[in-house]
Coordinates of all heavy atoms in Angstrom, one line a residue:
M1 N 122.3 180.4 106.4 CA 123.6 181.2 106.3 C 124.3 180.9 105.0 O 124.4 179.8 104.5 CB 124.5 180.7 107.5 CG 125.8 181.5 107.5 SD 126.8 181.1 109.0 CE 127.6 179.7 108.3
S2 N 124.7 182.0 104.4 CA 125.4 181.9 103.1 C 126.9 181.5 103.3 O 127.5 181.9 104.3 CB 125.2 183.2 102.3 OG 125.9 183.1 101.1
I3 N 127.4 180.8 102.3 CA 128.8 180.5 102.4 C 129.7 181.8 102.2 O 130.6 182.0 102.9 CB 129.2 179.4 101.4 CG1 128.5 178.1 101.8 CG2 130.7 179.2 101.2 CD1 128.7 177.0 100.8
I4 N 129.3 182.5 101.2 CA 130.1 183.7 100.8 C 129.4 184.9 101.5 O 128.2 185.2 101.2 CB 130.2 183.9 99.3 CG1 130.9 182.7 98.8 CG2 130.9 185.2 99.0 CD1 131.4 182.7 97.4
K5 N 130.1 185.7 102.3 CA 129.5 186.8 103.0 C 129.6 188.1 102.2 O 128.6 188.8 102.1 CB 130.2 187.0 104.4 CG 129.9 185.8 105.4 CD 130.6 186.1 106.7 CE 130.3 184.9 107.6 NZ 130.9 185.2 108.9
R6 N 130.8 188.4 101.7 CA 130.9 189.6 100.9 C 132.3 189.6 100.2 O 133.2 188.9 100.6 CB 130.9 190.8 101.8 CG 132.0 190.9 102.8 CD 131.9 192.1 103.7 NE 133.0 192.1 104.7 CZ 134.1 192.8 104.5 NH1 134.3 193.6 103.4 NH2 135.0 192.8 105.4
P7 N 132.4 190.3 99.1 CA 133.7 190.5 98.5 C 134.5 191.5 99.3 O 134.0 192.4 99.9 CB 133.4 191.0 97.1 CG 132.1 191.6 97.2 CD 131.3 190.9 98.3
I8 N 135.8 191.3 99.3 CA 136.7 192.2 100.0 C 137.3 193.1 99.0 O 138.1 192.6 98.1 CB 137.7 191.5 100.9 CG1 137.0 190.6 102.0 CG2 138.7 192.4 101.5 CD1 138.0 189.8 102.8
L9 N 137.0 194.4 99.0 CA 137.5 195.3 98.0 C 138.5 196.3 98.7 O 138.1 197.3 99.2 CB 136.3 196.1 97.4 CG 135.3 195.2 96.7 CD1 134.1 196.0 96.3 CD2 135.9 194.5 95.5
T10 N 139.8 196.0 98.6 CA 140.8 196.8 99.1 C 141.8 197.1 98.0 O 141.6 196.5 96.9 CB 141.6 196.1 100.3 OG1 142.1 194.9 99.8 CG2 140.6 195.8 101.5
E11 N 142.8 197.9 98.2 CA 143.8 198.2 97.2 C 144.5 196.9 96.8 O 144.8 196.7 95.6 CB 144.8 199.2 97.7 CG 144.2 200.6 97.8 CD 145.3 201.6 98.3 OE1 146.4 201.5 97.9 OE2 144.9 202.6 99.0
K12 N 144.9 196.1 97.8 CA 145.6 194.9 97.5 C 144.7 193.9 96.7 O 145.2 193.3 95.7 CB 146.0 194.2 98.8 CG 147.0 193.1 98.5 CD 147.6 192.6 99.8 CE 148.6 191.5 99.6 NZ 149.2 191.0 100.9
S13 N 143.4 193.8 97.0 CA 142.6 192.8 96.3 C 142.3 193.4 94.9 O 142.1 192.6 94.0 CB 141.3 192.6 97.1 OG 140.5 193.7 97.1
Q14 N 142.2 194.7 94.7 CA 142.0 195.3 93.4 C 143.2 194.9 92.5 O 143.1 194.7 91.3 CB 141.8 196.8 93.5 CG 140.5 197.2 94.2 CD 139.3 196.9 93.4 OE1 139.3 196.9 92.2 NE2 138.2 196.5 94.1
G15 N 144.4 194.9 93.1 CA 145.6 194.6 92.3 C 145.6 193.1 91.9 O 146.1 192.7 90.8
L16 N 145.1 192.2 92.8 CA 145.0 190.8 92.5 C 144.0 190.5 91.4 O 144.1 189.5 90.6 CB 144.6 190.0 93.7 CG 145.6 189.9 94.8 CD1 145.0 189.2 96.0 CD2 146.8 189.1 94.3
Q17 N 143.0 191.4 91.2 CA 142.0 191.2 90.2 C 142.5 191.2 88.8 O 142.0 190.6 87.9 CB 140.8 192.2 90.3 CG 139.9 191.9 91.5 CD 138.8 192.9 91.6 OE1 138.6 193.7 90.7 NE2 138.1 192.9 92.7
K18 N 143.6 192.0 88.6 CA 144.3 192.0 87.3 C 144.8 190.7 86.9 O 144.9 190.4 85.7 CB 145.4 193.1 87.3 CG 144.9 194.5 87.5 CD 146.0 195.5 87.6 CE 145.4 196.8 87.9 NZ 146.5 197.8 88.3
G19 N 145.2 189.8 87.8 CA 145.7 188.5 87.6 C 144.6 187.4 87.6 O 145.0 186.2 87.6
G20 N 143.4 187.8 87.8 CA 142.3 186.9 87.8 C 142.0 186.3 89.1 O 141.4 185.2 89.3
Q21 N 142.5 186.9 90.2 CA 142.2 186.5 91.6 C 141.3 187.4 92.3 O 141.4 188.7 92.2 CB 143.5 186.4 92.4 CG 144.4 185.3 91.9 CD 145.7 185.2 92.7 OE1 146.2 186.1 93.2 NE2 146.1 183.9 92.9
Y22 N 140.3 186.9 93.0 CA 139.3 187.7 93.7 C 139.3 187.3 95.2 O 139.4 186.1 95.5 CB 137.9 187.5 93.1 CG 137.9 188.1 91.7 CD1 138.2 187.3 90.6 CD2 137.5 189.4 91.4 CE1 138.2 187.8 89.3 CE2 137.4 189.9 90.1 CZ 137.8 189.1 89.1 OH 137.8 189.6 87.8
V23 N 139.0 188.2 96.1 CA 139.1 187.9 97.5 C 137.7 188.1 98.1 O 137.0 189.1 97.8 CB 140.0 188.9 98.2 CG1 140.1 188.6 99.7 CG2 141.4 188.9 97.6
F24 N 137.3 187.1 98.9 CA 135.9 187.1 99.5 C 136.1 186.7 101.0 O 137.0 186.0 101.4 CB 135.0 186.0 98.9 CG 134.7 186.2 97.4 CD1 135.5 185.7 96.4 CD2 133.7 187.0 97.0 CE1 135.3 185.9 95.1 CE2 133.4 187.2 95.7 CZ 134.2 186.6 94.7
E25 N 135.1 187.3 101.8 CA 135.0 186.8 103.2 C 134.0 185.7 103.1 O 132.9 185.8 102.6 CB 134.5 188.0 104.0 CG 134.4 187.6 105.5 CD 133.9 188.7 106.4 OE1 134.0 189.9 106.0 OE2 133.4 188.4 107.5
V26 N 134.4 184.6 103.8 CA 133.5 183.4 103.7 C 133.2 182.9 105.2 O 133.8 183.4 106.1 CB 134.2 182.3 102.9 CG1 134.3 182.6 101.5 CG2 135.5 181.9 103.5
A27 N 132.3 182.0 105.3 CA 131.9 181.5 106.6 C 133.1 180.7 107.1 O 133.9 180.1 106.4 CB 130.7 180.6 106.5
N28 N 133.3 180.6 108.5 CA 134.4 180.0 109.1 C 134.5 178.5 108.9 O 135.6 178.0 108.8 CB 134.4 180.3 110.6 CG 134.8 181.7 110.9 OD1 135.6 182.3 110.1 ND2 134.4 182.3 112.0
K29 N 133.4 177.8 108.7 CA 133.5 176.4 108.7 C 133.5 175.8 107.3 O 133.3 174.6 107.1 CB 132.3 175.8 109.4 CG 132.2 176.2 110.9 CD 132.4 175.1 111.8 CE 132.4 175.6 113.2 NZ 132.6 174.6 114.2
T30 N 133.6 176.6 106.2 CA 133.5 176.1 104.9 C 134.9 175.7 104.4 O 135.9 176.1 104.9 CB 133.0 177.2 103.9 OG1 133.9 178.4 104.0 CG2 131.6 177.6 104.2
N31 N 134.8 174.8 103.4 CA 136.1 174.3 102.8 C 136.2 174.8 101.4 O 135.3 175.4 100.9 CB 136.2 172.7 102.9 CG 135.1 172.1 102.2 OD1 134.5 172.6 101.2 ND2 134.7 170.9 102.7
K32 N 137.4 174.5 100.8 CA 137.7 175.0 99.5 C 136.7 174.5 98.4 O 136.3 175.3 97.5 CB 139.1 174.6 99.1 CG 140.1 175.3 99.9 CD 141.5 174.9 99.5 CE 142.5 175.5 100.4 NZ 143.9 175.3 100.0
I33 N 136.3 173.3 98.5 CA 135.3 172.7 97.5 C 134.0 173.4 97.5 O 133.4 173.8 96.5 CB 135.2 171.2 97.7 CG1 136.5 170.5 97.5 CG2 134.1 170.6 96.8 CD1 136.6 169.1 98.0
E34 N 133.5 173.7 98.7 CA 132.2 174.4 98.9 C 132.3 175.8 98.4 O 131.4 176.3 97.7 CB 131.8 174.4 100.4 CG 131.4 173.1 100.9 CD 131.2 173.1 102.4 OE1 131.7 174.0 103.1 OE2 130.6 172.1 102.9
I35 N 133.4 176.5 98.6 CA 133.6 177.8 98.2 C 133.6 177.9 96.6 O 133.0 178.7 96.0 CB 134.9 178.4 98.7 CG1 134.8 178.6 100.3 CG2 135.3 179.8 98.1 CD1 136.1 178.9 101.0
A36 N 134.4 177.0 96.0 CA 134.4 176.9 94.5 C 133.1 176.7 93.9 O 132.7 177.4 92.9 CB 135.4 175.8 94.1
K37 N 132.3 175.8 94.5 CA 130.9 175.5 94.0 C 130.0 176.8 94.1 O 129.2 177.1 93.2 CB 130.3 174.3 94.7 CG 130.9 173.0 94.3 CD 130.2 171.9 95.1 CE 130.8 170.5 94.7 NZ 130.2 169.4 95.5
E38 N 130.1 177.5 95.2 CA 129.3 178.6 95.5 C 129.7 179.8 94.5 O 128.8 180.5 94.0 CB 129.4 179.1 96.9 CG 128.5 180.2 97.3 CD 127.0 179.7 97.4 OE1 126.8 178.5 97.5 OE2 126.2 180.6 97.4
I39 N 130.9 180.0 94.3 CA 131.4 181.0 93.3 C 130.9 180.7 91.9 O 130.4 181.6 91.2 CB 132.9 181.2 93.3 CG1 133.4 181.7 94.7 CG2 133.4 182.1 92.2 CD1 133.1 183.1 95.0
K40 N 131.0 179.5 91.5 CA 130.5 179.1 90.2 C 129.0 179.3 90.1 O 128.5 179.8 89.0 CB 130.9 177.6 89.9 CG 130.5 177.2 88.5 CD 131.1 175.8 88.2 CE 130.8 175.5 86.8 NZ 131.4 174.2 86.4
K41 N 128.3 179.0 91.1 CA 126.8 179.2 91.1 C 126.4 180.6 91.1 O 125.5 181.1 90.4 CB 126.2 178.5 92.3 CG 124.7 178.4 92.3 CD 124.1 177.6 93.4 CE 124.1 178.4 94.7 NZ 123.5 177.7 95.8
M42 N 127.1 181.5 91.9 CA 126.8 182.9 92.0 C 127.1 183.7 90.8 O 126.4 184.6 90.4 CB 127.4 183.5 93.3 CG 126.8 183.1 94.6 SD 127.6 183.8 96.0 CE 127.2 185.5 95.8
Y43 N 128.4 183.5 90.3 CA 128.9 184.4 89.3 C 129.0 183.7 87.9 O 129.3 184.4 86.9 CB 130.2 184.9 89.7 CG 130.2 185.8 90.9 CD1 130.6 185.3 92.1 CD2 129.6 187.1 90.9 CE1 130.6 186.1 93.3 CE2 129.5 187.9 92.0 CZ 130.0 187.4 93.2 OH 129.9 188.2 94.3
G44 N 128.8 182.4 87.8 CA 128.9 181.7 86.5 C 130.3 181.7 85.9 O 130.4 181.8 84.7
V45 N 131.3 181.6 86.7 CA 132.7 181.5 86.2 C 133.3 180.2 86.6 O 132.9 179.6 87.5 CB 133.5 182.7 86.7 CG1 133.0 184.0 86.2 CG2 133.6 182.7 88.2
E46 N 134.4 179.8 85.9 CA 135.1 178.6 86.1 C 136.2 178.9 87.1 O 137.1 179.7 86.9 CB 135.7 178.0 84.8 CG 136.3 176.7 85.0 CD 135.3 175.6 85.4 OE1 134.1 175.6 84.9 OE2 135.7 174.7 86.2
V47 N 136.2 178.2 88.3 CA 137.2 178.4 89.3 C 138.3 177.4 89.1 O 138.1 176.2 89.0 CB 136.5 178.2 90.7 CG1 137.6 178.3 91.8 CG2 135.4 179.2 90.9
T48 N 139.6 177.9 89.1 CA 140.7 177.0 88.9 C 141.4 176.7 90.2 O 142.0 175.7 90.4 CB 141.7 177.6 87.9 OG1 142.1 178.9 88.4 CG2 141.1 177.8 86.5
A49 N 141.4 177.7 91.2 CA 142.1 177.4 92.5 C 141.4 178.3 93.6 O 140.9 179.3 93.3 CB 143.5 177.8 92.4
V50 N 141.5 177.7 94.8 CA 141.0 178.5 96.0 C 142.0 178.4 97.1 O 142.4 177.3 97.4 CB 139.6 177.9 96.5 CG1 139.2 178.6 97.7 CG2 138.6 177.9 95.4
N51 N 142.4 179.5 97.6 CA 143.3 179.6 98.8 C 142.6 180.2 99.9 O 141.9 181.2 99.7 CB 144.6 180.4 98.5 CG 145.4 179.8 97.3 OD1 145.4 178.6 97.2 ND2 146.1 180.6 96.6
T52 N 142.7 179.6 101.1 CA 142.0 180.2 102.2 C 142.9 180.6 103.4 O 144.0 180.0 103.5 CB 140.9 179.2 102.8 OG1 141.6 178.0 103.2 CG2 139.9 178.9 101.8
L53 N 142.5 181.5 104.2 CA 143.3 181.9 105.4 C 142.3 182.5 106.4 O 141.3 182.9 106.1 CB 144.4 182.9 105.0 CG 143.9 184.3 104.4 CD1 144.0 185.3 105.5 CD2 144.8 184.6 103.2
R54 N 142.7 182.4 107.6 CA 142.0 182.9 108.7 C 142.6 184.2 109.2 O 143.8 184.2 109.5 CB 141.9 181.9 109.9 CG 141.0 180.7 109.5 CD 140.7 179.8 110.7 NE 140.1 180.6 111.8 CZ 140.2 180.3 113.1 NH1 141.1 179.3 113.4 NH2 139.6 181.0 114.0
Q55 N 141.9 185.3 109.2 CA 142.3 186.6 109.6 C 142.0 186.7 111.1 O 140.8 186.9 111.4 CB 141.7 187.7 108.8 CG 142.2 189.1 109.1 CD 143.6 189.3 108.7 OE1 143.9 189.0 107.5 NE2 144.4 189.9 109.5
F56 N 142.9 186.6 112.0 CA 142.7 186.7 113.4 C 142.3 188.1 113.9 O 142.8 189.1 113.3 CB 143.8 186.1 114.2 CG 144.1 184.7 114.0 CD1 145.1 184.2 113.2 CD2 143.2 183.7 114.6 CE1 145.2 182.8 113.0 CE2 143.4 182.4 114.5 CZ 144.4 181.9 113.6
G57 N 141.5 188.2 114.9 CA 141.0 189.5 115.4 C 142.2 190.3 116.0 O 143.1 189.7 116.6
K58 N 142.1 191.6 116.0 CA 143.1 192.5 116.5 C 142.6 193.1 117.8 O 141.4 193.4 118.0 CB 143.5 193.6 115.5 CG 144.0 193.1 114.2 CD 144.2 194.2 113.3 CE 144.7 193.7 111.9 NZ 144.8 194.8 111.0
K59 N 143.5 193.4 118.7 CA 143.2 194.1 119.9 C 143.0 195.6 119.6 O 143.9 196.2 118.9 CB 144.2 193.9 121.0 CG 144.3 192.5 121.5 CD 145.3 192.4 122.6 CE 145.3 191.0 123.1 NZ 146.3 190.8 124.2
K60 N 142.0 196.2 120.0 CA 141.7 197.6 119.8 C 141.4 198.3 121.1 O 140.8 197.7 122.0 CB 140.5 197.8 118.8 CG 140.7 197.2 117.5 CD 141.4 198.2 116.6 CE 141.4 197.5 115.2 NZ 141.8 198.5 114.2
S61 N 141.8 199.5 121.3 CA 141.4 200.3 122.5 C 141.1 201.7 122.1 O 141.6 202.2 121.1 CB 142.6 200.2 123.5 OG 143.7 200.9 123.0
R62 N 140.3 202.3 122.9 CA 139.8 203.7 122.6 C 139.7 204.4 124.0 O 139.2 203.9 124.9 CB 138.4 203.6 121.9 CG 137.7 204.8 121.7 CD 136.5 204.5 120.9 NE 135.5 203.9 121.7 CZ 134.2 204.3 121.8 NH1 133.8 205.2 121.0 NH2 133.4 203.7 122.6
S63 N 140.2 205.6 124.0 CA 140.1 206.4 125.2 C 139.0 207.4 125.1 O 138.8 208.1 124.1 CB 141.4 207.2 125.4 OG 142.5 206.3 125.5
T64 N 138.2 207.5 126.2 CA 137.2 208.5 126.4 C 137.6 209.4 127.5 O 138.7 209.3 128.0 CB 135.8 207.8 126.7 OG1 135.9 207.1 127.9 CG2 135.4 206.9 125.6
R65 N 136.7 210.3 127.9 CA 137.1 211.2 129.0 C 137.3 210.5 130.3 O 138.2 210.9 131.1 CB 136.0 212.3 129.1 CG 136.2 213.4 128.2 CD 135.3 214.5 128.7 NE 134.4 214.8 127.6 CZ 133.4 215.7 127.6 NH1 133.1 216.3 128.8 NH2 132.6 215.9 126.6
T66 N 136.6 209.5 130.5 CA 136.6 208.9 131.9 C 137.3 207.6 131.9 O 137.9 207.2 133.0 CB 135.2 208.6 132.4 OG1 134.5 207.8 131.4 CG2 134.4 210.0 132.5
K67 N 137.4 206.8 130.9 CA 138.0 205.5 130.9 C 138.6 205.1 129.6 O 138.3 205.7 128.6 CB 137.0 204.5 131.4 CG 135.9 204.3 130.5 CD 134.9 203.3 131.0 CE 133.7 203.1 130.1 NZ 132.8 202.1 130.6
V68 N 139.3 204.0 129.6 CA 139.8 203.4 128.4 C 139.0 202.1 128.1 O 138.9 201.2 129.0 CB 141.3 203.0 128.5 CG1 141.8 202.3 127.3 CG2 142.1 204.3 128.8
T69 N 138.4 202.0 126.9 CA 137.7 200.8 126.5 C 138.5 200.0 125.6 O 139.1 200.5 124.6 CB 136.4 201.3 125.8 OG1 135.7 202.1 126.7 CG2 135.5 200.1 125.5
S70 N 138.6 198.7 125.9 CA 139.4 197.8 125.0 C 138.6 196.6 124.6 O 137.6 196.2 125.3 CB 140.7 197.4 125.7 OG 140.4 196.6 126.8
G71 N 138.9 196.0 123.5 CA 138.2 194.9 123.0 C 139.0 194.2 121.8 O 140.1 194.6 121.6
I72 N 138.4 193.3 121.2 CA 139.0 192.5 120.1 C 138.0 192.5 118.9 O 136.8 192.3 119.1 CB 139.3 191.1 120.6 CG1 140.3 191.1 121.8 CG2 139.9 190.3 119.4 CD1 140.5 189.7 122.3
T73 N 138.6 192.7 117.7 CA 137.7 192.6 116.5 C 137.5 191.1 116.3 O 138.3 190.3 116.7 CB 138.4 193.3 115.3 OG1 139.7 192.7 115.1 CG2 138.6 194.8 115.5
S74 N 136.5 190.7 115.5 CA 136.2 189.3 115.3 C 137.2 188.7 114.3 O 137.7 189.3 113.4 CB 134.8 189.2 114.9 OG 134.6 189.9 113.7
T75 N 137.4 187.4 114.4 CA 138.2 186.6 113.5 C 137.3 186.2 112.3 O 136.1 185.8 112.5 CB 138.7 185.4 114.2 OG1 139.5 185.8 115.3 CG2 139.5 184.5 113.3
F76 N 137.8 186.2 111.1 CA 137.1 185.8 110.0 C 137.9 185.1 109.0 O 139.2 185.1 109.1 CB 136.4 187.0 109.3 CG 137.3 188.0 108.7 CD1 137.7 188.0 107.4 CD2 137.8 189.1 109.5 CE1 138.5 189.0 106.9 CE2 138.6 190.0 109.0 CZ 139.0 190.0 107.7
K77 N 137.3 184.4 108.0 CA 138.0 183.6 107.1 C 137.9 184.3 105.7 O 136.9 184.7 105.3 CB 137.4 182.2 107.0 CG 138.2 181.2 106.2 CD 137.6 179.8 106.4 CE 138.4 178.7 105.7 NZ 137.9 177.4 106.0
K78 N 139.1 184.3 105.0 CA 139.2 184.9 103.7 C 139.5 183.8 102.7 O 140.2 182.8 103.0 CB 140.3 185.9 103.6 CG 140.0 187.2 104.2 CD 140.9 188.3 103.7 CE 142.2 188.3 104.3 NZ 143.0 189.5 104.0
A79 N 138.9 183.9 101.4 CA 139.2 183.0 100.4 C 139.7 183.8 99.2 O 139.1 184.8 98.8 CB 138.0 182.2 100.0
I80 N 140.9 183.4 98.6 CA 141.4 184.0 97.4 C 141.1 183.1 96.3 O 141.7 182.0 96.3 CB 142.9 184.3 97.5 CG1 143.2 185.3 98.7 CG2 143.4 184.9 96.2 CD1 144.6 185.4 99.1
V81 N 140.2 183.5 95.4 CA 139.7 182.6 94.4 C 140.3 183.0 93.0 O 140.3 184.1 92.6 CB 138.2 182.7 94.3 CG1 137.6 181.8 93.1 CG2 137.5 182.3 95.6
T82 N 140.9 182.0 92.3 CA 141.5 182.2 91.0 C 140.5 181.7 90.0 O 140.1 180.5 90.1 CB 142.9 181.5 90.9 OG1 143.7 181.9 91.9 CG2 143.5 181.8 89.5
I83 N 140.2 182.5 89.0 CA 139.2 182.0 88.0 C 140.0 181.8 86.7 O 141.1 182.2 86.5 CB 138.1 183.0 87.8 CG1 138.6 184.4 87.4 CG2 137.3 183.2 89.1 CD1 137.5 185.4 87.0
A84 N 139.3 181.1 85.8 CA 139.9 180.8 84.5 C 140.3 182.0 83.7 O 139.7 183.1 83.8 CB 138.9 179.9 83.7
K85 N 141.3 181.9 82.9 CA 141.8 183.0 82.1 C 140.7 183.5 81.1 O 140.0 182.7 80.5 CB 143.0 182.5 81.3 CG 143.9 183.7 80.9 CD 145.2 183.1 80.4 CE 146.3 184.2 80.4 NZ 147.6 183.7 80.4
G86 N 140.6 184.8 81.1 CA 139.6 185.4 80.2 C 138.3 185.7 80.8 O 137.4 186.4 80.2
E87 N 138.0 185.2 82.0 CA 136.7 185.4 82.7 C 136.9 186.5 83.7 O 137.9 186.7 84.3 CB 136.2 184.1 83.4 CG 135.9 183.0 82.4 CD 135.2 181.9 83.0 OE1 134.5 182.1 84.0 OE2 135.3 180.8 82.5
V88 N 135.8 187.2 84.0 CA 135.8 188.4 84.9 C 134.6 188.4 85.7 O 133.5 188.0 85.3 CB 135.8 189.7 84.0 CG1 135.8 190.9 85.0 CG2 137.1 189.8 83.2
I89 N 134.7 188.7 87.0 CA 133.6 188.9 87.9 C 133.4 190.4 88.1 O 134.4 191.2 88.5 CB 133.9 188.3 89.3 CG1 134.0 186.8 89.2 CG2 132.7 188.7 90.3 CD1 134.4 186.1 90.4
D90 N 132.2 191.0 87.8 CA 132.0 192.4 87.9 C 131.1 192.6 89.1 O 129.9 192.3 89.1 CB 131.2 192.9 86.6 CG 131.1 194.4 86.6 OD1 131.8 195.1 87.4 OD2 130.3 194.9 85.7
F91 N 131.7 193.2 90.1 CA 131.0 193.5 91.4 C 130.1 194.7 91.3 O 129.2 194.8 92.0 CB 132.0 193.7 92.5 CG 132.8 192.5 92.9 CD1 134.2 192.5 92.8 CD2 132.2 191.3 93.3 CE1 135.0 191.4 93.1 CE2 133.0 190.2 93.6 CZ 134.4 190.3 93.5
Y92 N 130.4 195.6 90.3 CA 129.6 196.8 90.2 C 128.5 196.8 89.2 O 128.1 197.8 88.7 CB 130.6 198.0 89.9 CG 131.7 198.1 90.9 CD1 133.0 197.7 90.5 CD2 131.5 198.6 92.2 CE1 134.1 197.8 91.5 CE2 132.5 198.7 93.1 CZ 133.8 198.3 92.7 OH 134.8 198.4 93.6
D93 N 128.1 195.6 88.8 CA 127.2 195.4 87.7 C 125.8 195.9 88.1 O 125.1 196.5 87.3 CB 127.1 193.9 87.3 CG 126.3 193.6 86.1 OD1 126.2 194.5 85.2 OD2 125.7 192.5 86.0
G94 N 125.3 195.6 89.3 CA 124.0 196.0 89.7 C 123.8 197.4 90.2 O 122.7 197.8 90.6
I95 N 124.9 198.2 90.2 CA 124.8 199.5 90.8 C 124.4 200.5 89.7 O 124.8 200.5 88.6 CB 126.2 199.9 91.4 CG1 126.5 199.0 92.5 CG2 126.2 201.4 91.8 CD1 127.9 199.3 93.2

């Protein structure tokens, strides 16, 4: 299992990239030190800070013709990684 699952590319995270901060979905049991080492290994950039948060699942419901189906989305962990000034991570490089 990889520590970093995927980058989170939303309008808010795109705005954070201008300040050198990048948002990733990470495994639930990882800590900040492991995240920083993995980012440095994957992208070759110097990490200055890592902030983590757990995004709790939301209740969702959907109506069909015969019944109402309800459930919960899964809980995941996000990491906001600040890299050194002047360095950039290009997510669209291999496309």
Side-chain angles (χ1 to χ4, degrees):
M1 182 175 87
S2 178
I3 292 174
I4 299 190
K5 294 183 180 179
R6 66 184 178 95
I8 297 177
L9 301 173
T10 60
E11 288 183 34
K12 188 171 184 179
S13 69
Q14 295 290 326
L16 288 173
Q17 287 180 10
K18 295 175 185 171
Q21 293 183 322
Y22 295 87
V23 184
F24 296 92
E25 182 180 341
V26 296
N28 285 332
K29 302 245 177 181
T30 57
N31 59 31
K32 295 179 181 185
I33 298 167
E34 293 171 341
I35 294 168
K37 286 180 182 177
E38 187 72 17
I39 293 290
K40 185 172 184 174
K41 186 172 84 173
M42 285 179 69
Y43 297 106
V45 294
E46 188 64 36
V47 177
T48 57
V50 177
N51 298 328
T52 59
L53 61 104
R54 290 186 60 212
Q55 182 72 47
F56 292 102
K58 299 177 185 176
K59 292 182 180 179
K60 300 273 184 167
S61 62
R62 175 176 73 132
S63 298
T64 61
R65 275 193 238 174
T66 57
K67 63 181 178 178
V68 175
T69 305
S70 62
I72 300 174
T73 60
S74 59
T75 299
F76 62 95
K77 190 172 189 176
K78 285 198 284 191
I80 302 172
V81 178
T82 306
I83 60 173
K85 202 167 200 162
E87 295 193 26
V88 176
I89 296 175
D90 188 13
F91 296 120
Y92 304 108
D93 187 31
I95 297 177

